[in-house]
Amino acid sequence: MNILIVEDDRMLLKALSKSLIDAGHLVYPAENGNEAINIITDNKVDLVISDLMMPVLDGATFISLLRNYLNTGIPVIVMSTLNNAEEILKKLAIDFSCFFQKPFKIEQLLSTVERFKVNGY
């Protein structure tokens, strides 16, 4: 799968990228939503993994642009340290596929990514 990871924490971005590459995926790393928009318009992306709180363009705005401006139904896994992030996303009617509360185990994320792959996303 071609996976876009949007995360402003460079260490986490590097760790997630390495784990997904080791699992056989092509990874496009981005440090904010603006970089992610540029990547997604120029590349085939099958899955997005995005943080919420980022500089330049936050995750919620990025996902809204992805859905409304780019008009894409690409599955989005959201991750955040905010305790109530999932409820906030639902109240804002942000269309996401799955949520991970940070910190999480990379094995859980890899398992979820594989489910998206098996289901044909």
Side-chain angles (χ1 to χ4, degrees), residues 43-61:
N43 299 280
K44 180 186 180 298
V45 174
D46 302 308
L47 177 67
V48 173
I49 301 171
S50 181
D51 188 15
L52 276 184
M53 297 183 349
M54 297 178 290
V56 183
L57 184 66
D58 66 87
T61 304

Side-chain angles (χ1 to χ4, degrees), residues 1-6 20 25-30 36 39-40 43-50 62-63 66-67 72-78 96-100 108-121:
M1 288 180 71
N2 298 343
I3 302 173
L4 171 61
I5 305 173
V6 194
L20 288 163
H25 302 285
L26 176 63
V27 172
Y28 298 103
I39 290 169
I40 211 160
N43 299 280
K44 180 186 180 298
V45 174
D46 302 308
L47 177 67
V48 173
I49 301 171
S50 181
F62 161 67
I63 297 166
L66 187 68
R67 297 293 185 237
T72 178
I74 297 169
V76 177
I77 297 173
V78 175
F96 64 100
S97 306
C98 185
F99 178 80
F100 277 86
Q108 292 173 307
L109 179 65
L110 292 173
S111 174
T112 300
V113 167
E114 287 307 309
R115 281 199 309 269
F116 281 106
K117 184 178 176 181
V118 168
N119 290 327
Y121 292 101

